[in-house]
Amino acid sequence: MHVEVNTSNGIENKESLDRWATDYLTEHLARFNQDITRVEVQLRDTNSGKKGADDKRCTLEARVAGREPLAVTHHAPSQDEAFRGATQKLIHLLDHTLGKLDRHEHRQRDTIRRDPSAIQ
């Protein structure tokens, strides 16, 4: 899974932010690793410099192999809260969308149930 971080003028796009976002998403979206090819993160300060409630916005767009991209947005007072909130929304959306596919299309996935060495 490839993670790409884009920011607006009001937010510093440092290497540490890229590294932290990649590590956080890799950890929290690990169970969807087979399905997601790429996640785009867009962090924006909607008031750009002015203080205000919920002025940070994070949009996450997950590219799911063979499907249309899934996107969520979360507004919060801080960049961290916006990012974490958007991540939780994306997890919920992926659970719902991919769970529905599992029930209706019986997707082929790697599972321990099909591994003969794990059964023994």
Side-chain angles (χ1 to χ4, degrees), residues 2-20:
H2 174 71
V3 177
E4 183 176 321
V5 179
N6 300 309
T7 60
S8 69
N9 292 339
I11 297 175
E12 300 275 331
N13 189 6
K14 298 181 181 177
E15 288 181 24
S16 61
L17 174 62
D18 288 345
R19 198 170 35 252
W20 178 79

Side-chain angles (χ1 to χ4, degrees), residues 5 17 45 80 95 97:
V5 179
L17 174 62
D45 184 353
D80 184 54
D95 275 337
T97 304

Side-chain angles (χ1 to χ4, degrees), residues 10-11 43-58 74-86:
I11 297 175
L43 292 166
R44 184 174 179 93
D45 184 353
T46 57
N47 289 343
S48 65
K50 300 176 193 172
K51 296 289 183 189
D54 297 346
D55 68 336
K56 302 293 190 275
R57 180 180 72 195
C58 179
H74 189 75
H75 295 267
S78 73
Q79 176 179 315
D80 184 54
E81 290 173 304
F83 181 79
R84 291 175 191 269

